[in-house]
């Protein structure tokens, strides 16, 4: 079955396509090399010396996330579920990004922590810090494995190189420029790949819409297909969540995906937050996720819509194939929804645009993995190595450790890539990981930030029990005790982790001693003087169009409008 | 390294320059492909749209706008990142 899919998926790349691909990688490695010559201190290596303007970090913020997950996973989801997939953007991303910019960023940027675990250390104590550091590092390696696996499978399917060669070559390229240039080079690549992927997906969407007769034509075809007209409206999204009841489905989307998973992901995921920390002022740091929200809300149109087009025009995915796949079986053609975007590219793009599409895909997987590596590097070097193993060494020692750690992480990711390869639906796998790692962290974080009494013991106990709750829900769904198809299992797991974490933390807090208030200044909302949370409004931060709250308001209004239009 | 005090132009490190370079080269190549080297069969495959030509022209316009942006508002990088 897989052999058939491979034979069908071979793209007709010619010399021009390879040339366009080669040009991209030469440019990225060239930038990495040049950036390395400017890297001087370890702060520069890790946080780019806090010198980048908000629009660069804003784009990097969103580009760090526009990796394998979005491009392949969301187009697969689009082919399978249609417009409800947009919840991952309009409910599952934009509100949390705005919250990060408006409420959380002053704490991150103001307290000058280098990582989320470091925040845990200062707010709580060493156990919470160590647990969070280890769980974060584990999550990064597992997710890097997904990116590496997808990158390798694209190389394998498009260019015909064997998977193991593809994995090793992909790993070598990613390692080269993260190790050489650090975060600066990674950010340059992220921003670049964002434009390449848009340059590839936008024409693909336009041609696809031409082919199906515009939006009207697509709507007709989707309504007539196995998913029915339900796939054209975002709410209540029963097919996506796996809940029969509309009420539970909406609840799962709003609380599970919209609140716990998405706030957990966007506000505590250091891959993302690190981008904002690299900006040059408090105002720029706050604007980073808000600026990122604007492109984010329109990405569904160039990711989900091509997926939907693939679901109704690609021979291997339409009609009975789609029906069989939606039943959870395998299609007679041997294709899966994960192939949607690649099949559409094969069907529609001529040589030339094909090369750009391949470059864009490969680059976005690399960007995702590079982001995992660089945040793993920061957390491992500073939060685990420097804090618990080798203290008080000179700066260049930690810089060297950082480079070795990056190399070791790449080798580990090759291992986790093979774990990822055993999952048939990577989106489910990923949402599961988020429910284990991000949901409890978010609960502890938000409680610790707004409740000054919360004690150090409550900090680590909440994290441990929250993760245990999510793992329990995963076990129940995995072994069929509780039947939840779709991605509902992860939403419920995230909700359980959140509730258990909060409950345990509250109980533990009243049983133990809190930290003295003077140690919590700048870390807890009520103990932080208002002026230290303020950003400057002069010089490069002046002007109404640079006010974070106003920008956030505009972004929120557009998102609500989009939800109404596609209701 | 630049020696002016305070700040220096980002030059090639201005990511807009790099974006413009990349999009300019991509746009030029696909435009040429669209004019001379895209067969009727390939155009038919793309629903009758010469997508190489149109996407190529789009990328060239985009690259030109970025060059303009760099010229009008050059990015200045502080020589020493402010540290406490």
């Amino acid at each position: 079955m897989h052999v058939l899919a491979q034979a069908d998926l071979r793209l007709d790349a010619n010399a021009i396509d390879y040339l366009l691909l080669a040009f991209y990688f030469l440019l990225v490695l060239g930038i990495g090399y040049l950036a390395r010559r400017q890297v001087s201190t370890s702060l520069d290596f890790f946080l780019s010396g806090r010198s980048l303007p908000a629009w660069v970090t804003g784009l990097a913020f969103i580009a760090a996330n526009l990796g394998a997950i979005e491009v392949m996973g969301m187009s697969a989801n689009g082919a399978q579920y249609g417009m409800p997939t947009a919840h991952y953007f309009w409910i599952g991303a934009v509100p949390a990004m705005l919250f990060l910019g408006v409420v959380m960023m002053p704490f991150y940027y103001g307290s000058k922590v280098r990582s989320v675990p470091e925040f845990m250390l200062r707010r709580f104590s060493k156990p919470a810090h160590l647990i969070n550091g280890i769980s974060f590092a584990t999550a990064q390696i597992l997710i890097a494995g997904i990116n590496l696996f997808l990158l390798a499978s694209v190389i394998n399917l498009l260019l015909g190189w064997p998977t193991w060669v593809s994995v090793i070559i992909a790993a070598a390229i990613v390692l080269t420029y993260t190790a050489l240039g650090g975060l600066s080079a990674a950010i340059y690549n992220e921003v670049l790949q964002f434009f390449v992927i848009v340059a590839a997906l936008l024409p693909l969407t336009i041609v696809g819409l031409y082919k199906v007769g515009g939006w009207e034509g697509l709507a007709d075809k989707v309504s007539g297909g196995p998913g029915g007209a339900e796939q054209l409206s975002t709410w209540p999204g029963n097919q996506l969540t796996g809940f029969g009841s509309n009420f539970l489905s909406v609840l799962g989307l709003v609380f599970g995906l919209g609140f716990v998973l998405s706030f957990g992901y966007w506000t505590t995921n250091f891959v993302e937050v690190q981008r904002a920390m690299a900006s040059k002022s408090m105002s720029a740091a706050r604007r980073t996720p808000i600026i990122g929200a604007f492109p984010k809300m329109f990405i569904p149109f160039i990711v989900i819509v091509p997926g939907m087009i693939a679901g109704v025009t690609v021979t291997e995915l339409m009609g009975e194939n789609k029906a069989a796949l939606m039943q959870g079986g395998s299609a007679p053609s041997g294709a899966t929804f994960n192939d949607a975007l690649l099949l559409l590219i094969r069907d529609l793009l001529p040589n030339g645009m094909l090369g750009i599409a391949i470059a864009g895909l490969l680059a976005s997987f690399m960007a995702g993995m590079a982001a995992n590596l660089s945040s793993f590097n920061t957390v491992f070097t500073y939060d685990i190595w420097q804090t618990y193993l080798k203290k008080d060494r000179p700066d260049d020692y930690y810089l060297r450790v950082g480079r070795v750690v990056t190399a070791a992480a790449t080798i580990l990711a090759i291992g986790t890539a093979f774990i990822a390869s055993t999952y048939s639906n990577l989106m489910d796998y990923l949402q599961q990981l988020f429910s284990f790692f991000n949901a409890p962290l978010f609960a502890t974080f938000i409680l610790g930030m707004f409740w000054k009494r919360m004690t150090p013991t409550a900090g680590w106990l909440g994290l441990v029990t929250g993760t245990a709750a999510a793992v329990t829900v995963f076990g129940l769904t995995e072994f069929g005790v509780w039947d939840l198809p779709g991605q509902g299992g992860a939403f419920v797991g995230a909700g359980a982790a959140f509730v258990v974490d909060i409950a345990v933390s509250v109980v533990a807090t009243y049983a133990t001693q809190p930290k003295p208030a003077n140690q919590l200044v700048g870390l807890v909302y009520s103990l932080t003087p208002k002026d230290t949370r303020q950003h400057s409004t002069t010089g490069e931060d002046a002007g109404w169009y640079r006010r974070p709250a106003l920008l956030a308001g505009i972004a929120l209004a557009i998102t609500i409008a989009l939800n109404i239009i596609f209701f | 390294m630049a020696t002016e005090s305070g700040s220096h132009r980002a030059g090639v490190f201005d990511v807009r320059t790099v974006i413009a370079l990349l999009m300019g080269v991509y746009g030029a190549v696909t435009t040429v492909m669209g004019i001379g080297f895209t067969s009727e069969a390939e155009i038919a495959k793309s629903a009758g749209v010469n997508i190489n030509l149109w996407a190529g022209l789009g990328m060239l316009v985009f690259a030109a706008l970025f060059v303009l942006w760099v010229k009008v508002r050059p990015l200045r990088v502080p020589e020493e990142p402010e540290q406490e």
Side-chain angles (χ1 to χ4, degrees), chain A residues 16 20 23-24 27 31 34-35 37-38 49 53 55 112 188 191-192 195-196 203 207 210-211 346-351 353 356 359 546, chain B residues 1 13 15-16 18-19 21-23 25-26 29-30 33 38 42 45-47 49 51-52 55 59 62 66 69 73 75 81-84:
Chain A
I16 288 289
L20 290 170
F23 179 72
Y24 181 85
L27 196 67
I31 288 291
L34 287 174
R37 294 169 56 184
Q38 286 208 330
W55 60 267
K112 295 200 162 56
Y188 276 104
V191 176
L192 276 186
F195 287 96
V196 178
V207 171
Y210 257 97
K211 185 166 178 170
R346 176 203 64 182
D347 281 3
L348 297 181
L349 292 186
N351 291 116
M353 278 310 298
I356 294 178
R546 290 201 179 98
Chain B
M1 296 277 163
F13 284 101
V15 74
R16 292 172 299 181
V18 185
I19 294 167
L21 173 67
L22 181 69
M23 285 294 133
V25 170
Y26 275 14
V29 171
T30 46
M33 290 288 288
T38 307
E42 279 184 313
K45 184 169 116 172
S46 315
V49 185
I51 194 63
N52 270 343
M59 282 184 264
F62 183 87
F66 262 61
W69 186 13
R73 299 280 300 272
L75 177 67
E82 312 100 76
Q83 284 171 35
E84 67 286 14

Coordinates of all heavy atoms in Angstrom, one line a residue, chain A residues 16 20 23-24 27 31 34-35 37-38 49 53 55 112 188 191-192 195-196 203 207 210-211 346-351 353 356 359 546, chain B residues 1 13 15-16 18-19 21-23 25-26 29-30 33 38 42 45-47 49 51-52 55 59 62 66 69 73 75 81-84:
Chain A
I16 N 15.8 22.9 -13.2 CA 15.4 24.2 -12.7 C 14.9 24.1 -11.3 O 15.3 24.9 -10.4 CB 14.3 24.8 -13.6 CG1 14.9 25.2 -15.0 CG2 13.6 26.0 -13.0 CD1 15.8 26.4 -15.0
L20 N 16.5 26.0 -8.0 CA 15.8 26.9 -7.1 C 16.0 26.4 -5.6 O 16.2 27.2 -4.7 CB 14.3 26.9 -7.4 CG 14.0 27.7 -8.7 CD1 12.5 27.4 -9.1 CD2 14.3 29.1 -8.6
F23 N 19.6 27.1 -4.5 CA 19.8 28.5 -4.2 C 19.3 28.9 -2.8 O 20.0 29.6 -2.1 CB 19.0 29.4 -5.2 CG 19.1 30.9 -5.0 CD1 20.3 31.5 -5.3 CD2 18.1 31.6 -4.5 CE1 20.4 32.9 -5.0 CE2 18.2 33.0 -4.3 CZ 19.4 33.6 -4.5
Y24 N 18.1 28.3 -2.4 CA 17.6 28.6 -1.1 C 18.6 28.2 0.0 O 18.9 28.9 0.9 CB 16.3 27.9 -0.9 CG 15.7 28.2 0.5 CD1 15.0 29.3 0.7 CD2 16.0 27.4 1.6 CE1 14.5 29.7 2.0 CE2 15.5 27.7 2.9 CZ 14.8 28.8 3.0 OH 14.4 29.2 4.3
L27 N 21.7 30.2 0.3 CA 21.4 31.5 0.9 C 21.4 31.4 2.4 O 22.0 32.1 3.2 CB 20.1 32.1 0.4 CG 19.8 33.5 0.6 CD1 20.8 34.4 -0.2 CD2 18.4 33.9 0.2
I31 N 24.0 32.9 5.2 CA 23.5 33.8 6.3 C 24.0 33.3 7.6 O 24.5 34.0 8.4 CB 22.0 34.0 6.3 CG1 21.5 34.8 5.1 CG2 21.5 34.6 7.6 CD1 21.9 36.3 5.2
L34 N 27.7 34.1 7.9 CA 28.0 35.5 8.2 C 27.5 35.8 9.6 O 28.2 36.6 10.3 CB 27.2 36.4 7.2 CG 27.8 36.4 5.7 CD1 26.9 37.1 4.8 CD2 29.2 37.0 5.7
A35 N 26.4 35.3 10.0 CA 25.9 35.6 11.3 C 26.8 35.1 12.4 O 27.0 35.8 13.4 CB 24.5 35.0 11.5
R37 N 30.0 35.1 12.4 CA 31.1 36.0 12.6 C 30.7 37.2 13.5 O 31.5 37.9 14.0 CB 31.6 36.5 11.3 CG 32.2 35.4 10.5 CD 32.5 35.7 9.0 NE 33.4 36.9 9.0 CZ 33.7 37.5 7.8 NH1 33.3 37.0 6.7 NH2 34.5 38.5 7.8
Q38 N 29.4 37.4 13.7 CA 28.9 38.5 14.5 C 28.6 38.0 15.9 O 28.5 38.8 16.8 CB 27.7 39.2 13.9 CG 28.0 40.0 12.7 CD 27.0 41.1 12.6 OE1 25.9 41.0 12.9 NE2 27.4 42.2 12.0
G49 N 21.0 39.0 21.3 CA 21.3 40.3 21.8 C 20.2 41.3 22.0 O 20.4 42.5 22.1
P53 N 14.0 44.3 15.5 CA 12.7 45.0 15.5 C 11.5 44.1 15.6 O 11.6 42.9 15.2 CB 12.8 45.8 14.2 CG 13.7 45.1 13.4 CD 14.7 44.4 14.2
W55 N 8.8 43.7 13.9 CA 8.2 43.0 12.7 C 9.0 41.8 12.3 O 8.4 40.8 11.8 CB 8.0 43.9 11.5 CG 9.3 44.6 11.0 CD1 9.8 45.8 11.4 CD2 10.2 44.0 10.1 NE1 11.0 46.0 10.8 CE2 11.2 44.9 9.9 CE3 10.2 42.8 9.3 CZ2 12.3 44.7 9.1 CZ3 11.3 42.6 8.5 CH2 12.3 43.5 8.4
K112 N 13.5 39.5 32.5 CA 14.7 39.1 31.8 C 15.1 37.7 32.0 O 16.3 37.4 32.1 CB 15.8 40.1 32.2 CG 15.6 41.5 31.8 CD 16.9 42.3 31.8 CE 16.7 43.6 30.9 NZ 15.7 44.5 31.4
Y188 N 16.6 34.1 10.9 CA 16.6 34.5 9.5 C 16.0 33.5 8.6 O 15.2 33.7 7.7 CB 18.1 34.8 9.0 CG 18.5 36.2 9.3 CD1 19.4 36.4 10.4 CD2 18.1 37.3 8.6 CE1 19.8 37.7 10.7 CE2 18.5 38.6 8.9 CZ 19.4 38.7 10.0 OH 19.8 40.0 10.3
V191 N 12.2 33.4 8.9 CA 11.5 34.5 8.2 C 11.5 34.2 6.7 O 10.5 34.3 6.0 CB 12.1 35.8 8.6 CG1 11.5 36.9 7.8 CG2 11.9 36.1 10.1
L192 N 12.7 33.7 6.2 CA 12.8 33.4 4.8 C 11.8 32.4 4.4 O 11.1 32.5 3.4 CB 14.2 33.0 4.5 CG 15.2 34.1 4.2 CD1 16.5 33.4 3.8 CD2 14.8 35.0 3.2
F195 N 8.3 33.3 3.7 CA 7.9 33.9 2.5 C 7.9 32.9 1.3 O 7.1 33.0 0.4 CB 8.9 35.1 2.1 CG 8.6 36.3 3.0 CD1 9.3 36.5 4.2 CD2 7.6 37.2 2.7 CE1 9.0 37.6 5.0 CE2 7.3 38.3 3.4 CZ 8.0 38.5 4.6
V196 N 8.9 31.9 1.4 CA 8.9 30.9 0.3 C 7.6 30.1 0.4 O 7.0 29.8 -0.6 CB 10.2 30.0 0.5 CG1 10.2 29.0 -0.6 CG2 11.4 30.9 0.3
P203 N 0.0 30.7 -4.9 CA -0.4 30.3 -6.3 C -1.1 29.0 -6.3 O -2.0 28.8 -7.2 CB 1.0 30.3 -7.0 CG 1.9 31.1 -6.1 CD 1.4 31.0 -4.7
V207 N -4.6 28.5 -8.3 CA -4.8 27.6 -9.4 C -5.8 26.6 -9.0 O -6.7 26.2 -9.8 CB -3.5 26.9 -9.7 CG1 -3.7 25.8 -10.7 CG2 -2.5 27.9 -10.3
Y210 N -9.3 28.0 -9.3 CA -9.6 28.1 -10.7 C -10.1 26.7 -11.2 O -11.1 26.6 -11.9 CB -8.4 28.4 -11.6 CG -8.3 29.9 -12.0 CD1 -7.6 30.8 -11.3 CD2 -9.0 30.3 -13.2 CE1 -7.6 32.1 -11.7 CE2 -9.0 31.6 -13.6 CZ -8.3 32.5 -12.9 OH -8.2 33.8 -13.3
K211 N -9.4 25.7 -10.7 CA -9.8 24.4 -11.2 C -11.2 23.9 -10.8 O -11.9 23.3 -11.5 CB -8.7 23.4 -10.8 CG -8.9 22.0 -11.3 CD -7.7 21.1 -11.2 CE -8.0 19.7 -11.7 NZ -6.8 18.9 -11.8
R346 N 1.6 18.0 -7.0 CA 1.9 17.1 -8.2 C 0.9 17.4 -9.3 O 1.2 17.5 -10.5 CB 1.8 15.6 -7.8 CG 2.0 14.7 -8.9 CD 1.3 13.3 -8.6 NE -0.1 13.5 -8.5 CZ -1.0 12.5 -8.2 NH1 -0.5 11.3 -7.9 NH2 -2.2 12.6 -8.1
D347 N -0.4 17.6 -9.0 CA -1.4 17.7 -10.0 C -1.4 19.1 -10.7 O -1.8 19.2 -11.8 CB -2.8 17.5 -9.4 CG -3.2 16.1 -9.2 OD1 -2.3 15.2 -9.5 OD2 -4.3 15.8 -8.8
L348 N -1.0 20.1 -9.9 CA -1.3 21.5 -10.4 C 0.0 22.3 -10.8 O -0.1 23.2 -11.7 CB -2.1 22.3 -9.4 CG -3.5 21.8 -9.1 CD1 -4.1 22.7 -8.0 CD2 -4.3 21.7 -10.3
L349 N 1.1 22.1 -10.2 CA 2.2 23.0 -10.4 C 3.2 22.5 -11.5 O 3.7 21.4 -11.5 CB 3.0 23.2 -9.1 CG 2.2 24.0 -8.0 CD1 3.1 24.2 -6.8 CD2 1.6 25.3 -8.5
P350 N 3.5 23.4 -12.4 CA 4.5 23.1 -13.4 C 5.9 23.3 -12.9 O 6.1 23.9 -11.8 CB 4.3 24.2 -14.5 CG 3.7 25.4 -13.7 CD 3.0 24.8 -12.5
N351 N 6.9 22.8 -13.6 CA 8.3 23.0 -13.2 C 8.6 24.5 -13.1 O 8.1 25.3 -13.9 CB 9.3 22.4 -14.3 CG 9.2 20.9 -14.3 OD1 8.8 20.3 -15.3 ND2 9.6 20.2 -13.2
M353 N 7.5 26.6 -10.5 CA 6.8 26.7 -9.2 C 6.9 25.5 -8.4 O 7.0 25.6 -7.2 CB 5.3 26.9 -9.5 CG 4.8 28.3 -9.9 SD 5.4 29.5 -8.7 CE 4.6 29.0 -7.2
I356 N 9.9 25.9 -6.2 CA 9.7 26.8 -5.1 C 8.9 26.1 -4.0 O 9.1 26.2 -2.8 CB 9.0 28.0 -5.6 CG1 9.9 28.8 -6.5 CG2 8.5 28.9 -4.4 CD1 9.4 30.1 -7.1
A359 N 11.2 23.7 -2.1 CA 12.1 24.5 -1.3 C 11.3 25.0 0.0 O 11.8 24.9 1.1 CB 12.6 25.7 -2.0
R546 N 1.7 51.4 17.0 CA 2.7 50.6 17.7 C 2.1 50.3 19.1 O 2.8 49.7 19.9 CB 4.0 51.3 17.8 CG 4.8 51.4 16.5 CD 6.3 51.5 16.8 NE 7.1 51.6 15.5 CZ 7.5 52.7 15.0 NH1 7.2 53.9 15.5 NH2 8.2 52.7 13.9
Chain B
M1 N 33.2 44.4 11.0 CA 32.4 45.1 11.9 C 32.4 46.6 11.6 O 33.5 47.1 11.4 CB 32.8 44.8 13.3 CG 32.7 43.4 13.8 SD 31.0 43.1 14.3 CE 31.0 41.3 14.3
F13 N 22.6 42.0 6.7 CA 21.9 41.4 7.8 C 20.4 41.9 8.0 O 19.7 41.3 8.7 CB 22.6 41.5 9.1 CG 23.8 40.6 9.2 CD1 25.1 41.1 9.0 CD2 23.6 39.3 9.5 CE1 26.1 40.2 9.0 CE2 24.7 38.4 9.5 CZ 25.9 38.9 9.2
V15 N 17.1 41.5 7.2 CA 16.4 40.4 6.6 C 15.6 40.8 5.4 O 15.4 39.9 4.5 CB 15.6 39.6 7.7 CG1 14.3 40.4 8.0 CG2 15.3 38.2 7.2
R16 N 15.2 42.0 5.3 CA 14.4 42.5 4.1 C 15.2 42.4 2.8 O 14.7 42.0 1.8 CB 13.9 43.9 4.3 CG 12.9 44.0 5.4 CD 12.6 45.5 5.7 NE 13.8 46.2 6.2 CZ 13.8 47.5 6.5 NH1 12.7 48.2 6.4 NH2 14.9 48.1 6.9
V18 N 17.6 40.2 2.3 CA 17.7 38.8 2.0 C 16.4 38.3 1.3 O 16.4 37.6 0.3 CB 18.1 38.0 3.2 CG1 18.3 36.5 2.8 CG2 19.3 38.6 3.9
I19 N 15.3 38.7 1.9 CA 14.0 38.3 1.4 C 13.8 38.8 -0.1 O 13.4 38.1 -1.0 CB 12.8 38.9 2.2 CG1 12.8 38.2 3.6 CG2 11.5 38.7 1.6 CD1 11.9 39.0 4.6
L21 N 16.2 39.6 -2.2 CA 17.1 38.8 -3.0 C 16.5 37.5 -3.4 O 16.4 37.1 -4.6 CB 18.5 38.6 -2.3 CG 19.5 37.7 -3.0 CD1 20.0 38.4 -4.3 CD2 20.7 37.4 -2.1
L22 N 16.0 36.8 -2.4 CA 15.4 35.4 -2.7 C 14.2 35.5 -3.6 O 14.1 34.8 -4.6 CB 15.1 34.8 -1.3 CG 14.5 33.4 -1.4 CD1 15.5 32.4 -1.8 CD2 13.9 33.0 0.0
M23 N 13.3 36.4 -3.2 CA 12.1 36.5 -4.0 C 12.4 37.1 -5.4 O 11.7 36.7 -6.4 CB 11.1 37.5 -3.3 CG 10.4 36.8 -2.1 SD 9.4 35.5 -2.6 CE 9.8 34.2 -1.5
V25 N 15.2 36.6 -7.2 CA 15.7 35.5 -8.0 C 14.6 34.5 -8.4 O 14.5 34.1 -9.6 CB 16.9 34.8 -7.3 CG1 17.3 33.5 -8.0 CG2 18.1 35.7 -7.1
Y26 N 13.8 34.1 -7.4 CA 12.7 33.2 -7.7 C 11.8 33.7 -8.7 O 11.3 33.1 -9.6 CB 12.0 32.8 -6.4 CG 12.6 31.7 -5.6 CD1 13.9 31.3 -5.9 CD2 11.9 31.1 -4.6 CE1 14.5 30.2 -5.2 CE2 12.5 30.0 -3.8 CZ 13.8 29.6 -4.1 OH 14.4 28.6 -3.4
V29 N 13.3 33.8 -12.3 CA 13.4 32.4 -12.8 C 12.0 32.0 -13.3 O 11.9 31.5 -14.4 CB 14.0 31.4 -11.8 CG1 13.9 30.0 -12.4 CG2 15.5 31.8 -11.6
T30 N 11.0 32.1 -12.4 CA 9.7 31.6 -12.8 C 9.1 32.4 -13.9 O 8.4 31.9 -14.8 CB 8.8 31.5 -11.6 OG1 8.8 32.7 -10.9 CG2 9.1 30.3 -10.7
M33 N 10.6 31.2 -17.0 CA 10.0 29.9 -17.3 C 8.6 30.1 -17.9 O 8.2 29.4 -18.8 CB 9.8 29.1 -15.9 CG 11.1 28.6 -15.3 SD 11.9 27.2 -16.2 CE 10.7 25.9 -15.8
T38 N 7.2 27.0 -20.4 CA 6.1 26.3 -19.8 C 5.2 25.8 -21.0 O 4.7 26.6 -21.7 CB 5.3 27.2 -18.9 OG1 6.2 27.8 -17.9 CG2 4.2 26.4 -18.1
E42 N 1.5 21.8 -19.6 CA 1.7 22.2 -18.2 C 0.7 23.3 -17.9 O 0.1 23.3 -16.7 CB 3.1 22.7 -18.0 CG 4.1 21.6 -17.8 CD 5.5 22.1 -17.4 OE1 6.0 23.0 -18.1 OE2 6.1 21.6 -16.5
K45 N -2.5 21.7 -17.3 CA -2.5 21.0 -16.0 C -2.9 22.0 -14.9 O -3.6 21.7 -13.9 CB -1.1 20.5 -15.7 CG -0.9 19.7 -14.5 CD 0.5 19.0 -14.5 CE 1.4 19.5 -13.4 NZ 2.6 18.8 -13.3
S46 N -2.4 23.3 -15.0 CA -2.7 24.3 -14.0 C -4.0 25.0 -14.3 O -4.1 26.2 -14.1 CB -1.6 25.3 -13.9 OG -0.3 24.7 -13.9
A47 N -5.0 24.3 -14.7 CA -6.4 24.8 -15.0 C -6.3 26.0 -15.9 O -7.1 26.9 -15.8 CB -7.0 25.2 -13.6
V49 N -4.1 28.3 -16.3 CA -3.4 29.5 -15.8 C -1.9 29.3 -16.0 O -1.4 28.3 -15.6 CB -3.7 29.7 -14.3 CG1 -3.1 31.0 -13.8 CG2 -5.2 29.7 -14.0
I51 N 0.8 29.8 -14.4 CA 1.1 30.1 -13.0 C 2.5 30.5 -12.8 O 2.8 31.4 -12.0 CB 0.6 29.0 -12.0 CG1 0.6 29.6 -10.5 CG2 1.5 27.8 -12.1 CD1 -0.4 30.7 -10.3
N52 N 3.4 30.0 -13.6 CA 4.8 30.4 -13.5 C 4.9 31.9 -13.8 O 5.6 32.6 -13.1 CB 5.7 29.6 -14.5 CG 6.2 28.3 -13.9 OD1 6.2 28.1 -12.7 ND2 6.7 27.4 -14.8
A55 N 2.8 34.0 -10.9 CA 3.5 34.0 -9.6 C 4.8 34.7 -9.7 O 5.3 35.4 -8.8 CB 3.6 32.5 -9.2
M59 N 6.1 37.8 -7.5 CA 7.3 37.8 -6.7 C 8.2 38.9 -7.0 O 8.8 39.5 -6.1 CB 8.0 36.4 -6.8 CG 7.4 35.3 -6.0 SD 8.3 33.8 -6.1 CE 7.4 32.9 -7.4
F62 N 6.8 42.0 -5.4 CA 7.0 41.9 -4.0 C 8.5 42.2 -3.6 O 8.7 43.0 -2.7 CB 6.7 40.5 -3.6 CG 6.8 40.2 -2.1 CD1 5.7 40.5 -1.3 CD2 8.0 39.7 -1.5 CE1 5.8 40.3 0.1 CE2 8.1 39.5 -0.2 CZ 7.0 39.8 0.6
F66 N 10.0 45.4 -1.3 CA 10.9 45.2 -0.2 C 12.2 46.1 -0.4 O 12.7 46.6 0.6 CB 11.2 43.7 0.0 CG 10.4 43.1 1.1 CD1 9.0 43.1 0.9 CD2 11.0 42.6 2.3 CE1 8.2 42.5 1.9 CE2 10.2 42.1 3.3 CZ 8.8 42.0 3.1
W69 N 11.3 49.5 0.6 CA 11.2 49.6 2.0 C 12.6 49.7 2.7 O 12.8 50.6 3.5 CB 10.4 48.4 2.6 CG 10.1 48.5 4.0 CD1 10.2 49.5 4.8 CD2 9.6 47.4 4.8 NE1 9.7 49.2 6.1 CE2 9.4 47.9 6.1 CE3 9.4 46.0 4.6 CZ2 9.0 47.1 7.2 CZ3 8.9 45.2 5.6 CH2 8.7 45.8 6.9
R73 N 13.4 53.1 4.7 CA 13.6 53.0 6.2 C 14.7 52.0 6.5 O 14.4 50.9 6.9 CB 12.3 52.5 6.8 CG 11.1 53.4 6.6 CD 11.1 54.6 7.6 NE 11.1 54.1 9.0 CZ 10.0 53.9 9.7 NH1 8.8 54.1 9.1 NH2 10.0 53.5 10.9
L75 N 17.4 49.8 8.4 CA 17.4 49.3 9.8 C 18.7 49.6 10.5 O 19.8 49.4 9.9 CB 17.2 47.8 9.7 CG 17.2 47.0 11.0 CD1 16.0 47.3 11.9 CD2 17.2 45.5 10.7
P81 N 24.6 45.6 22.2 CA 23.2 45.4 22.7 C 23.1 45.9 24.2 O 24.0 45.6 25.0 CB 23.0 43.9 22.7 CG 24.3 43.3 22.1 CD 25.3 44.4 21.9
E82 N 22.1 46.7 24.5 CA 22.0 47.2 25.9 C 21.9 46.1 26.9 O 21.0 45.2 26.7 CB 20.8 48.1 26.0 CG 20.6 49.2 25.0 CD 19.5 48.7 24.0 OE1 18.3 48.8 24.3 OE2 19.9 48.3 22.9
Q83 N 22.7 46.1 27.8 CA 22.6 45.1 28.9 C 22.6 45.7 30.2 O 23.2 46.8 30.4 CB 23.8 44.1 28.8 CG 23.6 43.1 27.6 CD 24.8 42.2 27.4 OE1 25.5 41.9 28.4 NE2 25.1 41.9 26.2
E84 N 22.0 45.1 31.2 CA 21.9 45.7 32.5 C 23.2 45.4 33.3 O 23.9 44.5 32.9 CB 20.7 45.2 33.3 CG 20.7 43.7 33.6 CD 20.5 42.8 32.4 OE1 20.6 43.3 31.3 OE2 20.3 41.7 32.6

